[in-house]
Amino acid sequence: MSLRHALLALLTVEPMTGYDLSKAFQASVSHVWHAPDSQIYPELRRMEADGLLVGTEVPWGPRGKKREYSVTPKGLDAFRAWMNEPLSYTRERDPAHLKAAYLEWAEPDAARAQMHAHIDAYTARRDDWRDKVREIDTGTSTMLEQRLAHAPASEHASIRAYKRYTYEGLIARAEHEIEWAERGLALIDELNADAPTAAHRTRADAAPPAT
Amino acid sequence: MSLRHALLALLTVEPMTGYDLSKAFQASVSHVWHAPDSQIYPELRRMEADGLLVGTEVPWGPRGKKREYSVTPKGLDAFRAWMNEPLSYTRERDPAHLKAAYLEWAEPDAARAQMHAHIDAYTARRDDWRDKVREIDTGTSTMLEQRLAHAPASEHASIRAYKRYTYEGLIARAEHEIEWAERGLALIDELNADAPTAAHRTRADAAPPAT
DNA sequence: GTCAGCTACCTATCCCCATAGATAGTTAGC
DNA sequence: GCTAACTATCTATGGGGATAGGTAGCTGAC
């Protein structure tokens, strides 16, 4: 149900078409929540059916048309209700840590490659999020500036602060993941210092026991 | 496809029934990857159909029977192949941070409750993972000890080290999440310092902190 | 005037997962 | 001998998401 609320968050700024939304999504929310357009369009229809949005046909060129959605009072209520109730936390499900727990099965070099992939993935995210923070600070984030333009000046500080807070949390998390993977690289080196390749070969034959 | 590999990881230790697996899952892997039995049983069937496992009927009491699965060489190959290829990283999708980005919409007390929920969820996980580390160190983890019993002594250090490494990473992550939420609480107080809510004021007056 | 590239929207399939429940046999304690 | 609790397995339904398409109109450059 998070997609629904992410869309509501964007539409509270101003009415948009599905296409606009999928672009806005990529530019802003996607750093926190990703969704392809094939998920956005049907969800908008469902939200309209549920009375959270109203869609109006807008002419586009001589023959074309597009559908612009705006939030209804009911939609606003739903969004506020979601914001005011705490999330339910689902249990951990993390492929990287799952793999790490059984890393003795991997070739040392494959284990290292895994760690490098982890580092690369989180480095990219960290840089991405750092850009977002910079955009917030310099006022070059289109979505944020539009949101601010539609909000009373008294709230500008909060809006900016929460966005910044969110991305800073994500940056710190990414840095933690990078550190973790770097410790992983050190650990792999340490464990393979004496027997670089022999360890795996014995393991390979160990699992199917000859009965 | 992670469930499949989590199951393979467990079955490399020794053959098990679906029921055993769902128990073992809860006791060990579930701290990294959770799955209910209704997902495990069909997946085992599929894995058998794919030739990764063989299942044999084992009598259980006078009339009952159960199905015990063991890993085939093909299953072992699949597991090793998974271990040796790097994971693909999917894009961020985090409801807590999504909400945080729009926290100006929430009542201050609801925002605080959200932060407390975050702290509670990660505190529980952190404690859980700390227990796991303690189990690893004291040798009271059944699954781990069984795994060690089936592996050459030369590998015991690695097996233990990777498990410990995994859980330590998760503990550090949980601690980061707790810190983040605590900074969130401070931020909420700061942003609402001039206009405290009625509820907040009442609570502060009713229960002043004992020194 | 036509072609590339963009805007706009939609469909289909498959997989994973959450949740809820159905069924049946076994074991241990009273 | 009965009952509660455990062992064992399976089904059904629906939501959410990934991936991969398809259609149609618009716009601007050459």
Side-chain angles (χ1 to χ4, degrees), chain A residues 161, chain B residues 112 183-195:
Chain B
R112 287 186 189 100
R183 270 191 298 128
L185 286 173
L187 179 62
I188 294 163
D189 285 346
E190 198 187 308
L191 292 173
N192 293 282
D194 41 335

Side-chain angles (χ1 to χ4, degrees), chain B residues 11-102:
Chain B
L11 284 171
T12 55
V13 177
E14 59 179 354
M16 277 189 261
T17 67
Y19 189 80
D20 293 338
L21 268 168
S22 88
K23 294 293 151 189
F25 221 86
Q26 290 227 320
S28 72
V29 199
S30 83
H31 302 92
V32 174
W33 194 274
H34 165 260
D37 68 327
S38 64
Q39 225 187 318
I40 292 174
Y41 285 110
E43 183 63 27
L44 289 171
R45 289 283 178 186
R46 255 174 270 133
M47 288 165 77
E48 189 178 3
D50 292 348
L52 307 182
L53 305 179
V54 277
T56 47
E57 297 272 293
V58 175
W60 170 57
R63 253 187 320 281
K65 56 186 176 163
K66 50 188 186 173
R67 192 168 189 81
E68 200 173 59
Y69 292 96
S70 50
V71 182
T72 63
K74 190 175 168 190
L76 214 56
D77 284 350
F79 184 58
R80 246 189 249 115
W82 183 68
M83 286 306 308
N84 281 322
E85 83 189 11
L87 284 172
S88 66
Y89 285 78
T90 60
R91 262 159 297 189
E92 202 66 29
R93 187 167 280 148
D94 182 335
H97 286 256
L98 171 60
K99 258 187 96 165
Y102 298 98

